[in-house]
Amino acid sequence: MLAEPPREDACDLSEPFSRIAELIDGSHTIAISGHTSPDGDALGSVLGLGLALRSRYPEKEIAFLLADDAPVPRIYRFLSGADELKSAVSYTVDPDLFIAVDCPVLDRLADAAAVAQRAHHVVAFDHHPCRHEFAEVVARHVKCAATAVLIDKFLAFCQIEVDPGMATALLCGIVTDTGRFQYQNADPVAFAVAAHLVSCGADPAKISLEVYQSQRIEYLRLESLVMGRIKTVADGRVAYSYARVEDIARRRVSQDECDGLVDVVRSVQGVEVCLFLKEFEPGRIRGNLRSKGDIDVSGVAASFGGGGHVAAAGFTFEGSVEDALSVALPQLAALVGVDPSSIQIKL
């Protein structure tokens, strides 16, 4: 089935789309990568775009890269092309073109940043806010629910046929970045693109089964621990929980399996913003922030050198869980209008 014409919205991307299409057409070796610790949108966008370009240009060498020297997250291994994803550190080509997806800053490309730096041309598709562009051509639309929406629009612009494998990968990106269409970013365009992808053969039931209904018992035991640790501050408007490195190791849970734990914390009634901390190495913390309303948590993430969206953001912190909480919770309290000096941290 042919991709639909570009859907109307407030942002005209025809100019960057045209320039990116020209660079793709003129390149023989192309590498595509998403951000470090890839989620469904990063991987779905890499695979959806990569498979589509391979179908249009079978003579080109197109590599699907992982920004980290790590396996594909288990819940996304069902996607078409996932078995061809390779670590950026093992990719030795100086590509004609590097395509970054779902990544607003070069540092977030991790090992793939080196590939981008030695590429002849660099372009990007992204829906995150960005202070400084690292690519020479950028298709950015911060109101898009997911980068996968932009990829779908680009394929429509190029009139590239979308098959069921591509469609499922892109739909996975939209489903995960909208929290199964439960987050504030689930707008009419996201639903329209999702409907189009299903008409192209995307399998929403398969996505639901693999991503949300196939958790290992070890993960569920860790989830239970995280649930038991949930605390609230700021009159119940801020919630937080955490998992230490020994908690994760003892239950034999992989790092990528922990990505959904922040939603457990977010689900507490009356909570407006939440924080989940994952200690992935001794003294190194990954923080995930979420909000339920219009409160912008990306500024808190930025204060730690991280970033993200209004409703979802993340950061890395050097120090202990206690140290991270002592810095982050007062900022979150201030976001909801509560005196930050009143915050008492309990573990």
Side-chain angles (χ1 to χ4, degrees), residues 20 23-24 26-35 42 45-47 49-51 53-54 60-67 84-102 109 111-125 134-135 151:
I20 291 172
L23 286 170
I24 290 171
S27 300
H28 178 66
T29 52
I30 301 172
I32 311 173
S33 178
H35 56 73
S45 296
V46 168
L47 295 174
L49 176 61
L51 292 170
L53 294 183
R54 282 185 178 178
K60 297 184 186 296
E61 297 177 9
I62 301 173
F64 309 159
L65 302 185
L66 291 166
E84 295 186 60
L85 284 157
K86 59 195 292 186
S87 300
V89 292
S90 67
Y91 182 75
T92 58
V93 177
D94 296 346
D96 298 324
L97 178 64
F98 180 89
I99 304 176
V101 298
D102 201 39
L109 283 172
D111 295 334
V115 182
Q117 289 170 327
R118 65 177 188 260
H120 297 287
H121 299 282
V122 178
V123 302
F125 295 89
F134 64 87
I151 301 301

Side-chain angles (χ1 to χ4, degrees), residues 12 16 25 106 137 165 182 206 218 321:
D12 181 9
D25 192 57
L106 189 64
V137 185
Q182 297 175 92
K206 181 72 169 176
E218 292 85 354
V321 168

Side-chain angles (χ1 to χ4, degrees), residues 259-326:
D259 290 345
L261 290 171
V262 65
D263 291 318
V264 174
V265 188
R266 184 182 183 272
S267 66
V268 177
Q269 183 180 19
V271 165
E272 298 175 29
V273 297
C274 75
L275 169 66
F276 173 67
L277 298 177
K278 177 186 72 174
E279 186 180 38
F280 61 93
E281 293 176 2
R284 298 195 72 201
I285 309 293
R286 176 67 183 170
N288 291 110
L289 297 160
R290 296 289 186 273
S291 74
K292 289 183 178 178
D294 296 328
I295 298 174
D296 185 353
V297 293
S298 65
V300 175
S303 72
F304 291 94
H309 310 288
V310 169
F315 61 88
T316 300
F317 180 83
E318 302 287 339
S320 67
V321 168
E322 293 81 359
D323 292 338
L325 290 173
S326 69

Side-chain angles (χ1 to χ4, degrees), residues 66 71 110 112 130 171 218 260 344:
L66 291 166
C130 178
L171 182 61
E218 292 85 354
Q344 295 183 347

